[in-house]
């Protein structure tokens, strides 16, 4: 969350009270979250306030200057790891442990009619464009669909929630001191045929032992990696010697445009390509699905030819 109201800590009558420590002042200090960072102000407390974001040992603490708002934790470069800050109040080492839970949303395919609701739900939060789903903590969608992001979430354990989760997070009671809302209370549901089966189905890491050459960064690459494949990121300048992979399966990830020159060279050597649909199909199949060394477009063409042949045969018999 980008901002939270200012909270006052003290011995009594405040949002957070330390009634058993008489060395704490009635109004001891305040802390506030703004610009995704945590600030604290000592309210001229008799025995002062100290903070540490490096551990709870005495040498890690820094004493605050009275009446001066101090940045005690810069979370502007947030990731998906929990942050811990310790505030020491009074003379008897009363310590308040503040845990910052980063919540980074990612969205997948949405009903366009719900775009306004989604925008309003995310308005109180910082919105930025992220490439990798693995950088996020929650996937938001309106119903279950076997998209790349949905399957990655299932394979990696990222919770899939509805728009109302973002609303509940913004409207946390008691300043959020009772914890975050439970994802299990905001499961995505739909009456659309087949979506319940998708939601409850198991997705399998069937790409173990497969090496995937990736020309561009994106969800397709993340999907392959989540499903167990080794990723060689050509866009990072990786040098590839196919002879080193003679005992393993090697394919390239098909992309629209920006094809790496190495893939063009590997194509002439008979290297096959896979696309996201083929990988997704494999993840949904317990036995591994179609052979990944077969180009998915070739599979579709083959299926069309087979269908047309059956149709011609049926018409002839009629």
């Amino acid at each position: 969350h980008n901002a939270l109201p200012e909270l006052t800590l003290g011995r009594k009558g405040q949002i957070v009270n330390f009634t058993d420590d008489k060395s704490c002042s009635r109004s001891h200090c305040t802390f506030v979250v703004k610009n995704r960072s945590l600030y604290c102000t000592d309210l001229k407390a008799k025995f002062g306030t100290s903070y540490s974001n490096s551990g709870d040992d005495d040498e890690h603490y820094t004493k605050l200057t009275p009446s001066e708002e101090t940045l005690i934790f810069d979370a502007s470069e947030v990731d998906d790891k929990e942050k811990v800050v310790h505030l020491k109040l009074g003379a008897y080492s009363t310590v308040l442990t503040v845990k910052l839970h980063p919540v980074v949303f990612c969205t997948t395919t949405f009903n366009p009619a719900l775009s306004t609701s989604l925008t309003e739900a995310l308005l109180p939060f910082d919105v930025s464009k992220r490439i990798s789903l693995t950088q996020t903590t929650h996937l938001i969608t309106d119903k279950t669909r076997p998209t790349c992001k949905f399957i990655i979430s299932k394979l990696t354990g990222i919770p899939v929630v509805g728009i109302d989760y973002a609303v509940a997070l913004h409207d946390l009671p008691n300043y959020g001191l009772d914890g975050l809302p439970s994802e299990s209370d905001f499961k995505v549901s739909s009456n659309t045929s087949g979506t319940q089966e998708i939601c409850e189905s198991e997705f399998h890491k069937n790409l173990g032992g497969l090496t995937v050459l990736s020309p561009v960064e994106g969800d397709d690459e993340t999907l392959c990696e989540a499903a167990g494949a080794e990723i060689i990121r050509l866009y990072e300048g990786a040098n590839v010697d196919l002879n080193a992979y003679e005992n393993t399966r090697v394919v390239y990830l098909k992309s629209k445009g920006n094809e790496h020159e190495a893939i063009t060279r590997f194509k002439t050597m008979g290297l096959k390509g896979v696309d996201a649909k083929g990988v997704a199909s494999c993840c949904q199949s317990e036995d591994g699905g179609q052979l990944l060394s077969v180009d998915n477009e070739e599979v579709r063409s083959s299926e069309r030819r087979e269908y047309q042949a059956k149709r011609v045969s049926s018409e002839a018999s009629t």
Side-chain angles (χ1 to χ4, degrees), residues 292-303:
L292 290 176
S293 59
V294 177
D295 190 300
N296 205 50
E297 181 57 40
E298 292 180 6
V299 172
R300 287 195 289 268
S301 298
S302 175
E303 290 174 346

Side-chain angles (χ1 to χ4, degrees), residues 17-29:
N17 299 291
F18 303 96
T19 55
D20 294 334
D21 190 344
K22 303 303 180 183
S23 71
C24 286
S25 298
R26 179 187 293 268
S27 298
H28 197 101
C29 65

Side-chain angles (χ1 to χ4, degrees), residues 1-4 36 101-105 117-128 137-138 140 163-172 180-181:
H1 202 290
N2 187 40
L4 286 175
R36 287 193 294 184
H101 297 273
V103 178
V104 186
F105 294 132
S117 299
L118 176 63
T119 301
E120 291 176 350
L122 297 180
L123 193 60
F125 304 90
D126 281 346
V127 178
S128 61
T137 58
H138 295 78
I140 296 183
I163 299 176
D164 48 352
Y165 181 83
V167 176
L169 195 64
H170 177 244
D171 298 333
L172 281 176
L180 298 179

Side-chain angles (χ1 to χ4, degrees), residues 65-78:
T65 301
S67 301
E68 183 178 303
E69 185 177 73
T70 304
L71 172 66
I72 64 172
F73 198 94
D74 181 6
S76 57
E77 295 299 324
V78 69

Side-chain angles (χ1 to χ4, degrees), residues 263-274:
I263 287 181
T264 303
R265 176 164 54 89
F266 293 148
K267 278 184 179 179
T268 64
M269 302 170 63
L271 197 68
K272 295 295 184 179
V274 296

Side-chain angles (χ1 to χ4, degrees), residues 106-115 118 133 139-155 160-163 188-201 203 223 280-281 284:
C106 181
T107 62
T108 185
T109 305
F110 250 92
N111 182 342
L114 297 174
S115 59
L118 176 63
L133 180 63
L139 178 69
I140 296 183
T141 185
D142 61 330
K143 65 180 181 180
T144 53
R145 300 178 179 88
T147 62
C148 277
K149 288 185 175 67
F150 181 82
I151 296 176
I152 294 169
S153 297
K154 287 292 186 176
L155 287 171
V160 180
V161 295
I163 299 176
V188 177
S189 60
S190 174
N191 294 325
T192 305
S193 176
T195 56
Q196 189 63 27
E197 288 76 7
I198 293 172
C199 189
E200 294 178 352
S201 64
F203 291 88
L223 174 60
S281 175
Q284 294 178 74

Side-chain angles (χ1 to χ4, degrees), residues 21-312:
D21 190 344
K22 303 303 180 183
S23 71
C24 286
S25 298
R26 179 187 293 268
S27 298
H28 197 101
C29 65
T30 65
F31 70 87
V32 63
V33 175
K34 56 185 180 181
N35 300 322
R36 287 193 294 184
S37 295
L38 184 64
Y39 294 81
C40 187
T41 303
D42 178 87
L43 301 177
K44 298 182 179 180
K46 182 177 181 179
F47 294 100
T49 307
S50 302
Y51 77 95
S52 169
N53 51 32
S54 303
D56 194 23
D57 297 327
D58 289 340
E59 64 268 20
H60 291 144
Y61 278 89
T62 300
K63 193 165 186 176
L64 297 179
T65 301
S67 301
E68 183 178 303
E69 185 177 73
T70 304
L71 172 66
I72 64 172
F73 198 94
D74 181 6
S76 57
E77 295 299 324
V78 69
D79 55 29
D80 60 353
K81 303 296 188 297
E82 181 182 81
K83 307 297 189 301
V84 178
V85 178
H86 304 286
L87 291 175
K88 184 179 290 186
L89 290 72
Y92 303 123
S93 300
T94 290
V95 175
L96 173 70
T97 300
V98 181
K99 294 184 178 181
L100 286 76
H101 297 273
V103 178
V104 186
F105 294 132
C106 181
T107 62
T108 185
T109 305
F110 250 92
N111 182 342
L114 297 174
S115 59
T116 301
S117 299
L118 176 63
T119 301
E120 291 176 350
L122 297 180
L123 193 60
F125 304 90
D126 281 346
V127 178
S128 61
K129 188 173 182 180
R130 293 179 180 272
I131 295 175
S132 175
L133 180 63
T134 56
Q135 294 175 286
T136 69
T137 58
H138 295 78
L139 178 69
I140 296 183
T141 185
D142 61 330
K143 65 180 181 180
T144 53
R145 300 178 179 88
T147 62
C148 277
K149 288 185 175 67
F150 181 82
I151 296 176
I152 294 169
S153 297
K154 287 292 186 176
L155 287 171
T156 58
I158 296 174
V160 180
V161 295
I163 299 176
D164 48 352
Y165 181 83
V167 176
L169 195 64
H170 177 244
D171 298 333
L172 281 176
N174 194 24
Y175 299 91
L177 296 175
D178 298 328
L180 298 179
S182 172
E183 291 88 353
S184 60
D185 295 332
F186 299 90
K187 289 183 177 179
V188 177
S189 60
S190 174
N191 294 325
T192 305
S193 176
T195 56
Q196 189 63 27
E197 288 76 7
I198 293 172
C199 189
E200 294 178 352
S201 64
E202 293 289 333
F203 291 88
H204 305 279
K205 298 190 175 186
N206 289 327
L207 305 196
L210 186 76
T211 299
V212 176
L213 309 180
S214 176
V216 294
E217 186 177 12
D219 287 340
D220 296 358
E221 170 191 291
T222 307
L223 174 60
C224 291
E225 190 167 36
E230 175 193 1
I231 306 297
I232 297 181
R233 296 171 172 82
L234 299 177
Y235 54 86
E236 292 182 349
N239 293 318
V240 184
D241 178 10
L242 284 188
N243 293 326
Y245 295 91
E246 58 184 359
N247 295 323
T248 63
R249 294 178 295 165
V250 183
V251 297
Y252 67 89
L253 190 58
K254 295 171 68 177
S255 64
K256 296 179 181 178
N258 300 320
E259 187 167 283
H260 196 277
E261 58 85 17
I263 287 181
T264 303
R265 176 164 54 89
F266 293 148
K267 278 184 179 179
T268 64
M269 302 170 63
L271 197 68
K272 295 295 184 179
V274 296
D275 62 13
K277 288 186 177 180
V279 176
S281 175
C282 176
C283 292
Q284 294 178 74
S285 173
E286 188 171 359
D287 61 3
Q290 299 169 349
L291 288 175
L292 290 176
S293 59
V294 177
D295 190 300
N296 205 50
E297 181 57 40
E298 292 180 6
V299 172
R300 287 195 289 268
S301 298
S302 175
E303 290 174 346
R304 284 196 293 270
R305 288 194 297 270
E306 183 179 351
Y307 169 77
Q308 291 169 353
K310 289 182 177 179
R311 182 176 178 180
V312 170

